[in-house]
Amino acid sequence: MPPTAHNPSSLDAHPNTSSAVDPPFPPPSTPRRRPRVDSDSDQTAARPAFASKPSTTPRREPDSKRPRSEHYMATNMPPKFPSKGPEVIDLTGPSTVLATSRTHQSQHQQPRSALQPHLVARKLVIKNLRPAAAKSGSNPVDTYYDRIHADLDSALNCIFDGRPVAQPMERLYRGVEDICRKGDAAALAERLRRRCEEWLNSSNMFGGMFSRFRGSMAGVDPQDDALDEEGDRLLSEILKAWRVWSEKMLVVRGLYSYLDRSYLMLQGGGEGGKGKQGINEMAIAQFKKAVFGSSSKPSSLPDHAQVVLKAVCRQVNFARMGDERAADSVLRESVSLLRICGVYGRLFEPAFLADSHAYFERFATDVSSTCGLKDYIAAVARQLDRETTRCDTFNFESTTKRQLLADAHQVLVKQYADKLLDGGSVAKLLADQDVESMRALYDMLKLSGLQKRLKGPWERYIRDVGAAIVGDADRADEMVVRLLELRRALDVVIRDAFSRDDVFSFSLRESFSHFINDKQGGAASSWNTGTSRVGELIAKHIDMLLRGGLKTLPESLRSDVKERAEAERSGVASTGDEDAELDRQLDLALELFRFVDGKDVFEAFYKRDLARRLLLGRSASQDAERSMLAKLKVECGASFTHNLEQMFKDQELAKEEMASYREWLAGTGSAGESRGSNIDLSVNILSAAAWPTFPDVRVQLPREVLDPINRFDAYYKTKHTGRRLTWMHNMAHCVLRARFDRGAKELLVSAPQAAVLMIFNDVEPAEGEGKDNPTAGVLSYEQISNSTGLQGAELDRTLQSLACGKARVLTKYPKSRDVAPTDTFRVNRAFTDPRFRVKINQIQLRETRDENRSTHERVAADRQFETQAAIVRIMKSRKTMTHAQLVAEVINQTRKRGAVEAAEIKANIDKWVLPSDCFLDGLKMLTDLSRLVEKDYLEKDEDGTYTYLA
C-alpha cells in the first residue's frame, strides 16, 4: 500500500487546521456542483491541490455563498503524464482515522482543545487523489447510503416517540436529497410509507386504542347507553390521535420535503389521472384507512367507525337539545376530520341526514301537540335559524345544509301545513296584530313554496271582520274609523310581514270590495231603500276631516315613522307636516271610497256636507277642499264633480255680487242708512241646479234684519230681470252682541237662534226694574213659537241649543235636558265664558233623521231613473237582446253609480215593454198612442228576446 500522506501532528490539530475528512470517497454519481459543508463542519478546510504544480498560493477563505460538505471532496484533474501512474495517497490509515475521530469528537461531543502551535499542521496537500481498494469486499458508497437510511429511521423513531432528533435536520434533509438524486426516491417513499403505517397501527396509536375499545364493548347490548358513552370517548381519542398525527407528519413532511416536491408531487397519472400521493395525502389516506377501513360501502365499515359516526351525529343532537355534553370544539374538529379524510359525503352525510330527519319528526310531534300556532311558528323559526347557524359555524358542506333545510321544511312546514294555515289561528294572529309571527309564518311558507296558500285564511279574516264592522248598527258612527284602522293594520302586515307581496295586496282590495258591497253579508240598506250606509259614512268622515282638521283624527290613524320616511323618499313632504298628514288621511278615505260600487250615496251626502261647510264658513282649509275636489275628479270623472265645482264658482260670484251691491249702496246714498242699522248683510246667491235642496224652514226675522234683506232683493231683481230669489233663512248665520251682568259677549249663532234671542229684547225689563218680579223677561214656549214662526222639532232643537247646551244663554224652567211645550225661558244674565266670541252649536250642522231618510230615498229614486235610462240606451244601440244579456249589461253600466237588484231591473224593463194586447194598425185610440210614446219602447217575443221599437 502506498505511504500515507498526512501530518502526525494533526491528531491534536487546531480547529483552523486542514485535515482529512470521512468518508474519503464521494459517491460515483456525485452531481457536478459546488462542494458543500454541513453546519458543524470546519469552515477552514483546505482545498485540494494538483500534483502537476505545487501550490504556493496562500490559504484562501472558504466560499461564503455555499460551504462545502465534509462528505464530498473535489475530484482531481487527470494526470498530466499518462505513462506514469498516479500516486495513491491512503487517507484511511489509523493516524488519519484517529485525527478525524478526534476532530469530530472535538466538534460534536466536547469543547475544542486549547491552542497548541507546536502540534498544528502547517499544510496538507493531496495530489492525484484516487479511491483506495475496498476492504473485505464492502462498497463505501453503499455504506454511506445505508448510514443515511439508518439516520432517517432513527429520526423517524425520535419524531414518533416525541424525542429530539440526534442528527441535525439539515444533514438529514441533505441525506434525503442525496438519495433522491441517486434515483432511489421510489424506494425511499415506500420505506417512509411503511414506517408511518407501522407506527400508526402500533399499540401506541390505533392498535392499542381499538383493542381497548373492543375489550370494553364485549358483551354490551347495542341499545345500552354505555355504548354511546364509549363512542363519545372513542371519538375524543381519535380526535386527539389526529392532532398528534398531524403534528408529527408536519415535521416528517418538512424533513422529506425534497422527496415530496421532486418525486411524489411530480408523479402524475396523465390528464385526468389520479396521480401518486404526496406525503400529506399519504398521511391522510393512512389515517383514514386506520379509522374507517378501506371499503367504500357504509355497510362494510368497521364497528369502531360506525360508532364514531354515530358519536358525531350525537354531538349534533346534543347541540340541538342544549345538552351539557355538547362540545363545540369536538363537533368542529370531527366535521373537519371527516371532510379531510374524504368520508364526509359518502359515510357521514347520509347518516347525519337520516338522524336529523328522525329528530325533526320528534320535534314536530312534541311541539305541535303542546303549542298553539304562535308558539309553533316561533319554535320552528328558532329551530330553522339554529340549523342554519350550526351548518355555518361547524363548516358543514353547502349540499348538506341545503338538504338539511329542505328536509326540515318538508317535515316541520309542509307536513303541518294544515296547522299553519288554520283559519282561526291565523285570524287570531291578525287580530292581535302579531306582525313578527306573521312574518315568520310567511317566510317559512315562502321557503316551502306554500305562501300563496296563506291567501285563503287572509281573505276569510278580512271579510269576516269587515262584515262585522259594517253590520254593527250600534257603532255605525265609528264604522269608517274602524275600517280605516283595519286597513291600516293589514297594510302594516303586508309591508312588514309579507314583503309587499302583490298577491296579498290585491286580495285585500278584493275582500274590502266584497264585504262593503255585500248587502246580505252586513251592508244592510238604509231606510229600506236599497242604498248602503257605507258611502254616507265615508262622506261624513271626510266632512269631519275638512271641518276639524287633524285634531278630530284618532291617534291610531296617524302616520308612523316608516310611512313618514317613505313619504320623504317619494318626494312628498314629510307626513309630520299637518297639511301633508291631512292630505294623506284624505287619500286613505278615498281609497275606502274606491271599494264602494254605489257612489251616488257618497255624492249626495258629500254634496250636502260641502254646501254646509261653504255656506257656514266651517272649512278648516280651502286648499284641502280644492285638493279633495281634484282627487274626486280624477277618481270619478268630470261629470261627478261638475256640480261641486259649480258650488265653488257660486261662492266667487257671490263675493263679486256683494261688492257690486255695496258700490250701488254708496252711489245711491243708502250706505249710511245701512250702517245706521248696525246690520252688515252678506248674501250668498246659489244656483238651484248645482246646490242640494235643504228643508224650507219658515223663520220670522226681526225688522232690523228684514229691511236690508228686502233692499237687496229689490236691487237683485232690478239688476237681473227674470230671476227669482228663494231665501233660505234657516241656513243663515250671524253674530249678535249681547250684554250680560259679567260683561259683553259676541254670540255666533244661526238665524233661527238669533230670531229667538232677539225677541227677548222686547220683554227684558229696564235696568233696575223688575228684579222682584219673577215673571219679568219670561217667555213661554208658545210665545216664542208665535214670535219666530218656528214650530215643532225645529223650535225644539233651537231652544235646546240655547238653554240646554254647553253655552246656556237662556235659562229653562223646569230644568231638564229636553224641551217641552210647557217650559218657560228667560235670559241667563249670569252667563259667562272665558272667550269674548262664543260659538253656540249651530243646528244647521246637525243632520236630522228626516233629512237623512229623504236623502237616501232621493238617491234610490234617482237609481231607478238611471236604470231605466240605461235600459233605453242599451236597447237603442243593441236593437235586440235576451233578458239575461240586458240585465247583465244594465248592471255593468250602473255599477259605479249604484246598481240595483236584478228583480228591480226586471221591473224597470217591464215598464217599457209594449202590452201584448196592443197593435199598431193606425186605428189605435189616441190614449193608447200617447201611452205608447211615453213608455212602450220595447217589445218582448215569446222566446224572451227584447226588441227595441223606434
Side-chain angles (χ1 to χ4, degrees), residues 477-515:
D477 295 338
E478 305 175 10
M479 178 191 298
V480 177
V481 174
R482 294 172 66 189
L483 288 177
L484 290 175
E485 290 176 346
L486 174 64
R487 174 66 187 272
R488 176 182 175 80
L490 297 175
D491 285 339
V492 171
V493 173
I494 294 176
R495 182 192 68 191
D496 297 340
F498 296 162
S499 302
R500 304 182 187 275
D501 195 330
D502 293 337
V503 173
F504 293 92
S505 298
F506 179 78
S507 177
L508 172 65
R509 294 191 293 268
E510 289 290 321
S511 301
F512 264 74
S513 178
H514 178 270
F515 73 75

Short mmCIF file of all heavy atoms in Angstrom, two decimals, residues 477-515:
data_model
loop_
_atom_site.label_atom_id
_atom_site.label_comp_id
_atom_site.label_asym_id
_atom_site.label_seq_id
_atom_site.Cartn_x
_atom_site.Cartn_y
_atom_site.Cartn_z
N ASP A 477 -121.62 54.96 13.72
CA ASP A 477 -120.88 56.20 13.57
C ASP A 477 -119.37 55.98 13.54
O ASP A 477 -118.62 56.83 13.03
CB ASP A 477 -121.23 57.16 14.71
CG ASP A 477 -122.68 57.60 14.65
OD1 ASP A 477 -123.28 57.51 13.56
OD2 ASP A 477 -123.22 58.01 15.69
N GLU A 478 -118.90 54.86 14.09
CA GLU A 478 -117.47 54.55 14.12
C GLU A 478 -117.06 53.64 12.97
O GLU A 478 -115.93 53.17 12.95
CB GLU A 478 -117.11 53.89 15.44
CG GLU A 478 -117.50 54.70 16.67
CD GLU A 478 -117.23 53.93 17.95
OE1 GLU A 478 -116.56 52.87 17.88
OE2 GLU A 478 -117.67 54.38 19.01
N MET A 479 -117.96 53.37 12.05
CA MET A 479 -117.69 52.38 11.00
C MET A 479 -116.46 52.74 10.19
O MET A 479 -115.55 51.91 10.01
CB MET A 479 -118.89 52.25 10.07
CG MET A 479 -118.65 51.28 8.92
SD MET A 479 -119.94 51.36 7.66
CE MET A 479 -121.36 50.89 8.62
N VAL A 480 -116.38 53.98 9.70
CA VAL A 480 -115.29 54.35 8.81
C VAL A 480 -113.96 54.33 9.55
O VAL A 480 -112.94 53.85 9.03
CB VAL A 480 -115.56 55.73 8.19
CG1 VAL A 480 -114.40 56.16 7.32
CG2 VAL A 480 -116.84 55.70 7.37
N VAL A 481 -113.95 54.83 10.78
CA VAL A 481 -112.71 54.82 11.55
C VAL A 481 -112.24 53.39 11.79
O VAL A 481 -111.05 53.08 11.66
CB VAL A 481 -112.90 55.58 12.88
CG1 VAL A 481 -111.66 55.45 13.76
CG2 VAL A 481 -113.20 57.04 12.62
N ARG A 482 -113.15 52.51 12.11
CA ARG A 482 -112.79 51.12 12.35
C ARG A 482 -112.31 50.45 11.06
O ARG A 482 -111.36 49.64 11.08
CB ARG A 482 -113.98 50.36 12.92
CG ARG A 482 -114.38 50.83 14.32
CD ARG A 482 -115.69 50.19 14.76
NE ARG A 482 -115.55 48.75 14.92
CZ ARG A 482 -116.57 47.92 15.12
NH1 ARG A 482 -117.82 48.41 15.17
NH2 ARG A 482 -116.38 46.63 15.26
N LEU A 483 -112.95 50.78 9.94
CA LEU A 483 -112.50 50.21 8.67
C LEU A 483 -111.11 50.73 8.30
O LEU A 483 -110.27 49.98 7.79
CB LEU A 483 -113.49 50.55 7.56
CG LEU A 483 -114.84 49.81 7.59
CD1 LEU A 483 -115.73 50.31 6.46
CD2 LEU A 483 -114.65 48.30 7.49
N LEU A 484 -110.86 52.00 8.57
CA LEU A 484 -109.54 52.55 8.28
C LEU A 484 -108.48 51.95 9.20
O LEU A 484 -107.34 51.71 8.77
CB LEU A 484 -109.56 54.07 8.42
CG LEU A 484 -110.35 54.82 7.35
CD1 LEU A 484 -110.39 56.32 7.66
CD2 LEU A 484 -109.74 54.60 5.97
N GLU A 485 -108.83 51.71 10.45
CA GLU A 485 -107.90 51.05 11.37
C GLU A 485 -107.61 49.64 10.91
O GLU A 485 -106.45 49.18 10.97
CB GLU A 485 -108.47 51.06 12.78
CG GLU A 485 -108.50 52.43 13.43
CD GLU A 485 -109.17 52.41 14.78
OE1 GLU A 485 -109.83 51.39 15.11
OE2 GLU A 485 -109.04 53.39 15.53
N LEU A 486 -108.65 48.94 10.45
CA LEU A 486 -108.44 47.59 9.91
C LEU A 486 -107.54 47.63 8.69
O LEU A 486 -106.60 46.83 8.55
CB LEU A 486 -109.79 46.96 9.57
CG LEU A 486 -109.75 45.60 8.86
CD1 LEU A 486 -109.11 44.55 9.77
CD2 LEU A 486 -111.14 45.16 8.43
N ARG A 487 -107.81 48.57 7.80
CA ARG A 487 -107.00 48.68 6.58
C ARG A 487 -105.56 49.03 6.93
O ARG A 487 -104.62 48.49 6.33
CB ARG A 487 -107.60 49.77 5.68
CG ARG A 487 -106.77 50.09 4.43
CD ARG A 487 -106.72 48.90 3.48
NE ARG A 487 -105.78 49.14 2.39
CZ ARG A 487 -106.11 49.72 1.25
NH1 ARG A 487 -107.36 50.16 1.07
NH2 ARG A 487 -105.24 49.87 0.29
N ARG A 488 -105.37 49.90 7.88
CA ARG A 488 -104.02 50.28 8.26
C ARG A 488 -103.27 49.10 8.86
O ARG A 488 -102.10 48.85 8.54
CB ARG A 488 -104.07 51.43 9.27
CG ARG A 488 -102.71 51.84 9.81
CD ARG A 488 -102.86 52.94 10.83
NE ARG A 488 -101.58 53.25 11.44
CZ ARG A 488 -100.64 54.01 10.90
NH1 ARG A 488 -100.85 54.55 9.71
NH2 ARG A 488 -99.51 54.24 11.52
N ALA A 489 -103.92 48.33 9.73
CA ALA A 489 -103.28 47.16 10.34
C ALA A 489 -102.91 46.14 9.27
O ALA A 489 -101.82 45.54 9.31
CB ALA A 489 -104.20 46.54 11.38
N LEU A 490 -103.78 45.94 8.30
CA LEU A 490 -103.49 44.98 7.23
C LEU A 490 -102.38 45.48 6.32
O LEU A 490 -101.56 44.69 5.84
CB LEU A 490 -104.76 44.71 6.43
CG LEU A 490 -105.91 44.06 7.22
CD1 LEU A 490 -107.16 43.96 6.36
CD2 LEU A 490 -105.52 42.69 7.76
N ASP A 491 -102.35 46.78 6.08
CA ASP A 491 -101.25 47.34 5.27
C ASP A 491 -99.91 47.16 5.97
O ASP A 491 -98.89 46.90 5.31
CB ASP A 491 -101.50 48.83 5.01
CG ASP A 491 -102.59 49.05 3.97
OD1 ASP A 491 -102.85 48.12 3.19
OD2 ASP A 491 -103.18 50.15 3.95
N VAL A 492 -99.89 47.31 7.28
CA VAL A 492 -98.65 47.09 8.03
C VAL A 492 -98.20 45.63 7.92
O VAL A 492 -97.01 45.33 7.77
CB VAL A 492 -98.84 47.49 9.51
CG1 VAL A 492 -97.65 47.06 10.35
CG2 VAL A 492 -99.04 48.99 9.62
N VAL A 493 -99.17 44.70 7.95
CA VAL A 493 -98.82 43.28 7.80
C VAL A 493 -98.24 43.03 6.41
O VAL A 493 -97.23 42.32 6.26
CB VAL A 493 -100.06 42.41 8.04
CG1 VAL A 493 -99.76 40.95 7.72
CG2 VAL A 493 -100.51 42.53 9.49
N ILE A 494 -98.85 43.61 5.38
CA ILE A 494 -98.34 43.42 4.02
C ILE A 494 -96.95 44.03 3.89
O ILE A 494 -96.06 43.46 3.25
CB ILE A 494 -99.32 44.05 3.00
CG1 ILE A 494 -100.64 43.28 3.00
CG2 ILE A 494 -98.70 44.05 1.61
CD1 ILE A 494 -101.69 43.88 2.10
N ARG A 495 -96.74 45.18 4.50
CA ARG A 495 -95.46 45.87 4.38
C ARG A 495 -94.36 45.18 5.18
O ARG A 495 -93.25 44.96 4.66
CB ARG A 495 -95.61 47.32 4.86
CG ARG A 495 -94.36 48.17 4.74
CD ARG A 495 -94.53 49.47 5.49
NE ARG A 495 -94.61 49.25 6.94
CZ ARG A 495 -94.97 50.18 7.81
NH1 ARG A 495 -95.31 51.38 7.40
NH2 ARG A 495 -95.01 49.90 9.11
N ASP A 496 -94.63 44.83 6.42
CA ASP A 496 -93.59 44.32 7.31
C ASP A 496 -93.51 42.81 7.36
O ASP A 496 -92.45 42.27 7.70
CB ASP A 496 -93.80 44.86 8.73
CG ASP A 496 -93.70 46.37 8.80
OD1 ASP A 496 -93.11 46.95 7.87
OD2 ASP A 496 -94.22 46.97 9.76
N ALA A 497 -94.61 42.11 7.08
CA ALA A 497 -94.61 40.65 7.20
C ALA A 497 -94.58 39.96 5.85
O ALA A 497 -93.91 38.95 5.68
CB ALA A 497 -95.84 40.19 7.99
N PHE A 498 -95.29 40.50 4.86
CA PHE A 498 -95.42 39.83 3.57
C PHE A 498 -94.51 40.42 2.51
O PHE A 498 -94.64 40.08 1.33
CB PHE A 498 -96.87 39.89 3.08
CG PHE A 498 -97.84 39.15 3.97
CD1 PHE A 498 -99.20 39.40 3.89
CD2 PHE A 498 -97.40 38.20 4.88
CE1 PHE A 498 -100.09 38.74 4.70
CE2 PHE A 498 -98.29 37.53 5.70
CZ PHE A 498 -99.65 37.79 5.60
N SER A 499 -93.61 41.32 2.90
CA SER A 499 -92.63 41.90 1.97
C SER A 499 -93.32 42.54 0.77
O SER A 499 -92.85 42.42 -0.37
CB SER A 499 -91.63 40.84 1.50
OG SER A 499 -90.96 40.26 2.60
N ARG A 500 -94.45 43.19 1.01
CA ARG A 500 -95.21 43.90 -0.03
C ARG A 500 -95.59 42.97 -1.18
O ARG A 500 -95.52 43.35 -2.36
CB ARG A 500 -94.42 45.11 -0.56
CG ARG A 500 -94.02 46.10 0.52
CD ARG A 500 -93.30 47.28 -0.08
NE ARG A 500 -92.77 48.16 0.96
CZ ARG A 500 -93.46 49.11 1.57
NH1 ARG A 500 -94.73 49.31 1.24
NH2 ARG A 500 -92.90 49.87 2.50
N ASP A 501 -96.00 41.77 -0.85
CA ASP A 501 -96.41 40.80 -1.86
C ASP A 501 -97.68 41.30 -2.54
O ASP A 501 -98.70 41.57 -1.90
CB ASP A 501 -96.67 39.45 -1.20
CG ASP A 501 -96.73 38.32 -2.22
OD1 ASP A 501 -97.15 38.59 -3.36
OD2 ASP A 501 -96.40 37.19 -1.88
N ASP A 502 -97.64 41.41 -3.87
CA ASP A 502 -98.79 41.92 -4.62
C ASP A 502 -100.00 41.01 -4.52
O ASP A 502 -101.14 41.47 -4.66
CB ASP A 502 -98.41 42.11 -6.09
CG ASP A 502 -97.38 43.21 -6.28
OD1 ASP A 502 -97.30 44.09 -5.39
OD2 ASP A 502 -96.66 43.19 -7.30
N VAL A 503 -99.77 39.72 -4.29
CA VAL A 503 -100.90 38.79 -4.19
C VAL A 503 -101.79 39.17 -3.02
O VAL A 503 -103.03 39.20 -3.12
CB VAL A 503 -100.38 37.35 -4.04
CG1 VAL A 503 -101.53 36.39 -3.76
CG2 VAL A 503 -99.63 36.93 -5.29
N PHE A 504 -101.19 39.52 -1.90
CA PHE A 504 -101.98 39.85 -0.72
C PHE A 504 -102.54 41.27 -0.82
O PHE A 504 -103.61 41.54 -0.27
CB PHE A 504 -101.11 39.70 0.53
CG PHE A 504 -100.71 38.28 0.81
CD1 PHE A 504 -99.52 37.77 0.32
CD2 PHE A 504 -101.53 37.44 1.54
CE1 PHE A 504 -99.16 36.46 0.55
CE2 PHE A 504 -101.17 36.13 1.78
CZ PHE A 504 -99.98 35.64 1.28
N SER A 505 -101.86 42.16 -1.51
CA SER A 505 -102.42 43.50 -1.72
C SER A 505 -103.68 43.42 -2.58
O SER A 505 -104.71 44.06 -2.27
CB SER A 505 -101.37 44.40 -2.38
OG SER A 505 -100.24 44.54 -1.56
N PHE A 506 -103.62 42.66 -3.65
CA PHE A 506 -104.80 42.50 -4.50
C PHE A 506 -105.91 41.79 -3.74
O PHE A 506 -107.10 42.15 -3.86
CB PHE A 506 -104.42 41.72 -5.75
CG PHE A 506 -105.56 41.48 -6.69
CD1 PHE A 506 -106.01 42.49 -7.53
CD2 PHE A 506 -106.19 40.25 -6.74
CE1 PHE A 506 -107.06 42.28 -8.39
CE2 PHE A 506 -107.25 40.03 -7.60
CZ PHE A 506 -107.69 41.04 -8.43
N SER A 507 -105.57 40.79 -2.96
CA SER A 507 -106.58 40.08 -2.17
C SER A 507 -107.22 41.01 -1.15
O SER A 507 -108.43 40.90 -0.88
CB SER A 507 -105.93 38.88 -1.47
OG SER A 507 -106.87 38.22 -0.65
N LEU A 508 -106.45 41.92 -0.58
CA LEU A 508 -107.01 42.89 0.35
C LEU A 508 -108.06 43.76 -0.32
O LEU A 508 -109.16 43.98 0.22
CB LEU A 508 -105.87 43.75 0.92
CG LEU A 508 -106.28 44.96 1.77
CD1 LEU A 508 -106.97 44.51 3.05
CD2 LEU A 508 -105.07 45.81 2.11
N ARG A 509 -107.76 44.26 -1.50
CA ARG A 509 -108.73 45.10 -2.21
C ARG A 509 -109.99 44.32 -2.58
O ARG A 509 -111.10 44.83 -2.46
CB ARG A 509 -108.07 45.70 -3.45
CG ARG A 509 -106.95 46.67 -3.15
CD ARG A 509 -106.52 47.42 -4.40
NE ARG A 509 -105.90 46.52 -5.36
CZ ARG A 509 -104.60 46.30 -5.42
NH1 ARG A 509 -103.77 46.88 -4.55
NH2 ARG A 509 -104.09 45.49 -6.33
N GLU A 510 -109.81 43.10 -3.03
CA GLU A 510 -110.96 42.28 -3.38
C GLU A 510 -111.84 42.00 -2.17
O GLU A 510 -113.08 42.04 -2.25
CB GLU A 510 -110.48 40.96 -4.00
CG GLU A 510 -109.88 41.11 -5.38
CD GLU A 510 -110.93 41.47 -6.42
OE1 GLU A 510 -112.05 40.93 -6.35
OE2 GLU A 510 -110.63 42.31 -7.29
N SER A 511 -111.24 41.73 -1.05
CA SER A 511 -112.02 41.42 0.16
C SER A 511 -112.78 42.64 0.65
O SER A 511 -113.95 42.54 1.04
CB SER A 511 -111.08 40.90 1.25
OG SER A 511 -110.39 39.74 0.83
N PHE A 512 -112.13 43.82 0.64
CA PHE A 512 -112.83 45.03 1.05
C PHE A 512 -114.00 45.32 0.12
O PHE A 512 -115.10 45.68 0.57
CB PHE A 512 -111.86 46.21 1.07
CG PHE A 512 -111.29 46.50 2.42
CD1 PHE A 512 -110.32 45.67 2.97
CD2 PHE A 512 -111.73 47.57 3.17
CE1 PHE A 512 -109.79 45.92 4.21
CE2 PHE A 512 -111.21 47.83 4.42
CZ PHE A 512 -110.24 47.00 4.96
N SER A 513 -113.79 45.18 -1.16
CA SER A 513 -114.89 45.42 -2.10
C SER A 513 -116.03 44.44 -1.89
O SER A 513 -117.21 44.80 -2.05
CB SER A 513 -114.35 45.31 -3.54
OG SER A 513 -115.37 45.50 -4.48
N HIS A 514 -115.70 43.22 -1.49
CA HIS A 514 -116.74 42.21 -1.30
C HIS A 514 -117.63 42.54 -0.11
O HIS A 514 -118.86 42.59 -0.23
CB HIS A 514 -116.10 40.83 -1.13
CG HIS A 514 -117.08 39.73 -0.89
ND1 HIS A 514 -117.48 39.36 0.39
CD2 HIS A 514 -117.76 38.92 -1.75
CE1 HIS A 514 -118.35 38.38 0.31
NE2 HIS A 514 -118.52 38.09 -0.99
N PHE A 515 -117.05 42.77 1.06
CA PHE A 515 -117.91 42.95 2.23
C PHE A 515 -118.55 44.34 2.27
O PHE A 515 -119.60 44.52 2.88
CB PHE A 515 -117.14 42.66 3.53
CG PHE A 515 -116.13 43.70 3.93
CD1 PHE A 515 -116.49 44.92 4.46
CD2 PHE A 515 -114.77 43.44 3.81
CE1 PHE A 515 -115.56 45.86 4.86
CE2 PHE A 515 -113.83 44.37 4.19
CZ PHE A 515 -114.22 45.58 4.71
#
